[in-house]
Amino acid sequence: MRPRTPAVAYDTDTGVLLLDTPHTSYSAYVGREDHIPIHTYWGPPITAEDATYLATATSEHLASEWPCFRSASNGHEEYPLDGGLQFGRSALTMEFPGAIRSVEWRLSRHEITAGLHHRDLALWFEVRHHDLTVTMHYRVYDDSDVIDRWVVVRNGSATDAVDVHRLDSAAWVTPEQERHRMSHLTGRWAAETQLRQIDLTDSHLVLESRRGITSHHANPWFAMDDGTATEEFGRVFSATLHWSGSWRMLAQREMDEPAQVLFGWGHEGFGPLRLEPGEMLKTPVSSGLFTTDGFGGTSHTWHEYALRHVLPGAEEIRPVLFNSWEATGFDVDEASQRALARQAADLGCELFVLDDGWFGRRTGDRVGLGDWWVNSDRFPDGLQPLIADVHALGMGFGLWIEPEMVNPDSDLYRAHPEWTYHFAGREPNLMRHQLVLNLARPDVVDWVFGELDALLSANDIQFVKWDMNRPFTDTGWPEQPDRQGRLWFDHVTGVYAVIDALRRKHPGVAFEACSGGGGRVDFGMMARSDQFWVSDNTDAVDRRHIQHGFGQLYPARTMSCWVTDVPTFINRRRVPLTYRFHVAMAGVLGIGGDLTSWADEETELARRLIGQYKEIRHIVQHGRLHRLGAPSRSASAVQYVTADRRESVVLAYQEAQQYDNQPRPIRLRGLDPDGTYRMDGDPTLSGAALMGHGITPRLTGDYASTLIHLELVP
Ligand code: DGJ
């Protein structure tokens, strides 16, 4: 299909909205009487006449006689409002003076604007009984089938506040079909982004985070198909949310109706958030995507969208880093870090990251968080001597911080106990012996920025690992009970404000987003980070499953993966070094082991594999990912192909040998069928043969793995 020029249109006569992306269309109409927007279409391209016909047919269908107890429009609303005949969950629930919740609105105008690579449509609705405007926004891109949506609410009243109980970014309606199979990502600490599939029946399904962070337990993404889509083929609807705090995805479906998926910030019952007279609130973006190219095509489009429109500096090649956490834990000092740095440089690492333990009186997890001054027992002359050595070894220097936290045993807490979330008269929970700072407070945001700015100004630092090691509890703000409901929103925007300001002031510093591993992996954080620390679990076997889920939505360019020591602290498993490397080479390679205990052969092997990674990393970090089978005990692989199809790399794995089985041929994807490819000393084969027949990787025994580099013969 030839890609079309994207467009947004709104017809004031018919009330029909039509969005065209390069390969899809999306349509809705605004009801004539009640001004409720009704969804009609999301799929392959249609014409404006089609969209008008669908609007007429749908409105006639909804206007027909419906039995009592049934609402014609439920499940079809483009953005369901509380009130009227709304029996499902609504995307917008507000409480007006007099404890009135129902919303009635009129469309007052629409606006079409264009940016360099996108077109926007905004629909302005005026609430009839209160001076309040709700604007629904849509964005389409020249080079992506992803559609962005968000909502802005403005309380124009000079006197009356309103309470926002729910303000979703979007409702995504997927058509009624034989099955509604929903793929989603679940997990827990050290077991993030596990891909699961369930059937949505005539019911509600809620995925959410109630923890103040995106969470290890659920990631804000779903993909819906009719049960027939495969990795390569089939219609798939999917969506995500650009948000790094609590969130909710609620899928609802009545018998014989479409599925309607509400996506927004804030968990169920989070607030409410009080919108004072004159205040406005802009939701995070929810992005949606329809493809006919199966789950693989869905991931390609998400990855390309992320690299083009979300991730800053996406064109960069991420360096191979060494992180000292698993080597030294909290026992850091200048001498031990210097020894590790020398060995890391000798292996070919390009960035040295000093993790937890360098600040305040930090000697373990009970003390020091909040005191962002250099520990002078451990670093008598500050960090600069170590940094200078690291630079002299040819590496950049990175530093770990956890700015949203405080230990009760810290100078900061002794000075400002009121800066933490807590309820008056209640004992706060001390998870990991620490408390969460109230970043809904502007003074705390300013203080955090000031500390980090001073740190980055005083030291020549190239990389910051921003960690966040416990969920919110005790979410009180005793001095400002009226603002308490806002903290779920304002904490996140406070974090964003600090990182954005630091990036502006220190443009040479890259950021790694971490929350005890993958607790804050989302497009909101991606927009202000350079990579994610995906999981504290670095066991290569578990990690393949975590990476498989991560890659459904997020590109390899953002997936930081370390090779660490065995047995791993998570499960005591021992996996050979080559296998560990090959798993970590599927993303942004890093090393996290105690190099002082590595044998010479291990160091030699690591040096060779790091060298090999540097030769192929442009393909992994910037190429297109093809999943050649899901991780399992028998052979499967991941493949990356450059945009010009000239180069490809295959990482094939066999976890366990069964009997005397040999791996079956693995069919490659995305190559030029008419081209001929050279493979690491093997005979050349045509792209057609490589994709039609495949390659048979040499994998014998347990934890066998191989890397195959393919180059198009000119
Ligand atoms: C959790 C992170 O995920 C680890 O990599 C490490 O930085 C520790 N925190 C340090 O406390």
Side-chain angles (χ1 to χ4, degrees):
M1 189 198 313
R2 243 195 32 237
R4 299 168 317 153
T5 310
V8 294
Y10 182 76
D11 184 330
T12 41
D13 293 335
T14 57
V16 173
L17 159 168
L18 178 62
L19 312 179
D20 291 324
T21 75
H23 308 96
T24 73
S25 291
Y26 182 102
S27 191
Y29 70 91
V30 177
R32 281 185 190 285
E33 306 283 311
D34 55 11
H35 288 221
I36 303 260
I38 298 291
H39 180 85
T40 52
Y41 184 80
W42 195 9
I46 59 171
T47 63
E49 292 72 32
D50 293 334
T52 309
Y53 170 80
L54 291 173
T56 312
T58 309
S59 68
E60 280 170 5
H61 173 67
L62 300 189
S64 57
E65 203 54 39
W66 288 82
C68 192
F69 298 111
R70 189 163 174 196
S71 159
S73 56
N74 280 186
H76 299 262
E77 302 97 338
E78 182 66 3
Y79 194 69
L81 306 176
D82 206 0
L85 293 185
Q86 180 54 259
F87 301 113
R89 303 289 180 88
S90 47
L92 178 74
T93 302
M94 288 196 191
E95 193 168 324
F96 299 95
I100 297 168
R101 288 202 171 203
S102 174
V103 174
E104 291 167 13
W105 70 18
R106 317 295 298 164
L107 179 80
S108 60
R109 64 189 170 95
H110 76 277
E111 196 175 54
I112 290 177
T113 48
L116 200 53
H117 299 296
H118 61 83
R119 314 255 185 291
D120 289 357
L121 169 68
L123 300 178
W124 293 70
F125 296 91
E126 309 295 334
V127 170
R128 286 205 310 119
H129 38 77
H130 190 98
D131 186 358
L132 187 128
T133 312
V134 182
T135 329
M136 281 172 50
H137 294 263
Y138 296 86
R139 172 168 293 174
V140 299
Y141 293 91
D142 291 356
D143 56 3
S144 177
D145 289 317
V146 170
I147 297 171
D148 287 346
R149 293 178 60 184
W150 68 98
V151 170
V152 179
V153 177
R154 295 172 182 83
N155 182 8
S157 167
T159 50
D160 293 321
V162 291
D163 280 339
V164 176
H165 290 266
R166 189 78 223 154
L167 181 62
D168 282 321
S169 303
W172 299 101
V173 180
T174 65
E176 165 61 7
Q177 51 196 21
E178 191 61 35
R179 273 175 73 190
H180 293 80
R181 180 172 65 171
M182 193 174 249
S183 305
H184 67 100
L185 298 170
T186 184
R188 61 170 187 257
W189 175 76
E192 298 87 338
T193 50
Q194 304 292 311
L195 182 62
R196 298 278 189 271
Q197 290 188 324
I198 44 172
D199 271 323
L200 182 67
T201 52
D202 309 339
S203 60
H204 288 90
L205 169 78
V206 176
L207 305 176
E208 68 176 355
S209 161
R210 312 175 65 83
R211 295 164 194 258
I213 48 173
T214 323
S215 96
H216 306 77
H217 296 72
N219 195 270
W221 171 81
F222 76 87
M224 181 93 80
D225 78 301
D226 66 0
T228 63
T230 64
E231 188 65 16
E232 289 176 274
F233 309 104
R235 291 160 53 95
V236 181
F237 301 86
S238 68
T240 186
L241 185 72
H242 302 225
W243 187 244
S244 314
S246 288
W247 56 274
R248 182 193 77 171
M249 186 223 82
L250 185 143
Q252 54 187 352
R253 187 169 160 255
E254 289 188 8
M255 198 171 137
D256 301 331
E257 297 293 349
Q260 189 183 46
V261 187
L262 314 184
F263 230 138
W265 68 274
H267 52 270
E268 298 233 341
F270 70 90
L273 180 151
R274 178 147 300 170
L275 205 57
E276 300 292 348
E279 271 192 325
M280 66 97 99
L281 191 70
K282 181 179 172 198
T283 69
V285 167
S286 176
S287 300
L289 168 67
F290 168 78
T291 60
T292 51
D293 302 326
F295 298 111
T298 301
S299 295
H300 299 159
T301 310
W302 281 123
H303 295 173
E304 280 154 19
Y305 164 81
L307 296 178
R308 289 174 189 157
H309 302 293
V310 184
L311 183 74
E315 65 294 342
E316 283 167 16
I317 288 282
R318 294 305 307 151
V320 177
L321 67 72
F322 175 84
N323 180 295
S324 64
W325 173 245
E326 289 206 19
T328 47
F330 291 106
D331 281 334
V332 300
D333 60 29
E334 205 173 301
S336 65
Q337 298 302 303
R338 193 174 273 133
L340 285 168
R342 268 198 303 274
Q343 283 174 296
D346 178 50
L347 287 188
C349 294
E350 300 157 306
L351 179 65
F352 180 85
V353 184
L354 168 56
D355 210 279
D356 201 345
W358 58 267
F359 53 90
R361 279 176 277 276
R362 185 87 163 161
T363 46
D365 59 6
R366 288 174 181 269
V367 56
L369 286 173
D371 297 341
W372 300 111
W373 36 268
V374 181
N375 182 316
S376 56
D377 294 336
R378 296 175 161 204
F379 299 92
D381 300 310
L383 293 176
Q384 207 43 54
L386 174 65
I387 295 177
D389 278 5
V390 166
H391 287 167
L393 289 165
M395 296 184 290
F397 184 84
L399 195 62
W400 177 95
I401 51 170
E402 193 179 1
E404 298 154 76
M405 293 293 157
V406 64
N407 285 116
D409 188 358
S410 65
D411 292 351
L412 176 66
Y413 188 75
R414 283 182 280 273
H416 287 292
E418 78 285 7
W419 279 9
T420 57
Y421 294 125
H422 64 285
F423 291 112
R426 299 282 194 284
E427 275 306 308
N429 286 282
L430 278 176
M431 217 177 194
R432 213 195 186 216
H433 317 289
Q434 60 196 59
L435 296 165
V436 187
L437 286 177
N438 180 346
L439 264 86
R441 291 177 63 130
D443 53 349
V444 178
V445 170
D446 288 348
W447 179 85
V448 171
F449 172 75
E451 294 296 290
L452 301 183
D453 178 34
L455 200 59
L456 295 180
S457 302
N459 297 287
D460 195 358
I461 290 173
Q462 285 68 52
F463 180 90
V464 162
K465 177 177 173 186
W466 180 299
D467 205 346
M468 202 298 186
N469 277 306
R470 60 154 291 176
F472 291 16
T473 58
D474 315 283
T475 44
W477 185 352
E479 297 86 9
Q480 298 254 22
D482 283 353
R483 292 191 74 75
Q484 192 162 291
R486 290 195 64 113
L487 65 87
W488 299 97
F489 189 86
D490 289 353
H491 184 105
V492 179
T493 53
V495 169
Y496 288 171
V498 174
I499 304 179
D500 291 347
L502 289 172
R503 290 188 77 100
R504 271 195 303 277
K505 188 147 178 221
H506 303 277
V509 179
F511 283 74
E512 182 171 71
C514 169
S515 174
R520 200 140 67 179
V521 172
D522 59 80
F523 276 4
M525 213 55 180
M526 188 195 284
R528 41 196 49 87
S529 303
D530 297 82
Q531 59 194 53
F532 291 114
W533 179 228
V534 174
S535 178
D536 281 345
N537 187 344
T538 50
D539 167 61
V541 174
D542 288 349
R543 193 63 182 228
R544 284 191 59 213
H545 295 267
I546 295 169
Q547 295 179 183
H548 182 70
F550 181 95
Q552 301 294 320
L553 180 62
Y554 307 106
R557 162 67 182 73
T558 64
M559 186 171 79
S560 175
C561 312
W562 306 344
V563 174
T564 59
D565 294 334
V566 288
T568 59
F569 77 98
I570 294 285
N571 56 22
R572 313 303 299 162
R573 194 173 358 237
R574 290 177 184 276
V575 174
L577 189 59
T578 306
Y579 194 92
R580 279 180 270 153
F581 259 98
H582 283 156
V583 172
M585 285 159 89
V588 176
L589 176 66
I591 310 293
D594 181 2
L595 299 181
T596 56
S597 65
W598 284 25
D600 289 348
E601 313 84 77
E602 290 177 312
T603 307
E604 187 46 47
L605 179 59
R607 198 180 293 121
R608 190 169 62 69
L609 289 169
I610 290 173
Q612 190 182 23
Y613 177 72
K614 288 179 183 169
E615 279 162 26
I616 55 100
R617 66 179 159 187
H618 62 284
I619 313 171
V620 173
Q621 294 186 17
H622 293 145
R624 182 174 268 198
L625 164 72
H626 295 274
R627 295 179 287 257
L628 310 179
S632 67
R633 287 173 70 71
S634 53
S636 66
V638 287
Q639 181 198 358
Y640 302 84
V641 186
T642 54
D644 61 9
R645 299 188 294 180
R646 289 181 169 281
E647 279 189 279
S648 179
V649 64
V650 179
L651 287 155
Y653 312 95
Q654 173 171 280
E655 201 178 297
Q657 170 89 43
Q658 276 205 301
Y659 313 112
D660 57 352
N661 292 356
Q662 290 301 310
R664 282 195 295 269
I666 296 179
R667 288 195 301 113
L668 304 190
R669 298 193 195 133
L671 302 175
D672 175 359
D674 301 325
T676 304
Y677 287 85
R678 193 171 34 229
M679 295 180 288
D680 297 332
D682 277 335
T684 55
L685 271 180
S686 71
L690 288 164
M691 294 191 290
H693 174 77
I695 53 170
T696 309
R698 290 185 207 96
L699 299 171
T700 309
D702 295 349
Y703 303 127
S705 62
T706 185
L707 183 154
I708 301 160
H709 183 194
L710 296 100
E711 286 172 290
L712 195 67
V713 179

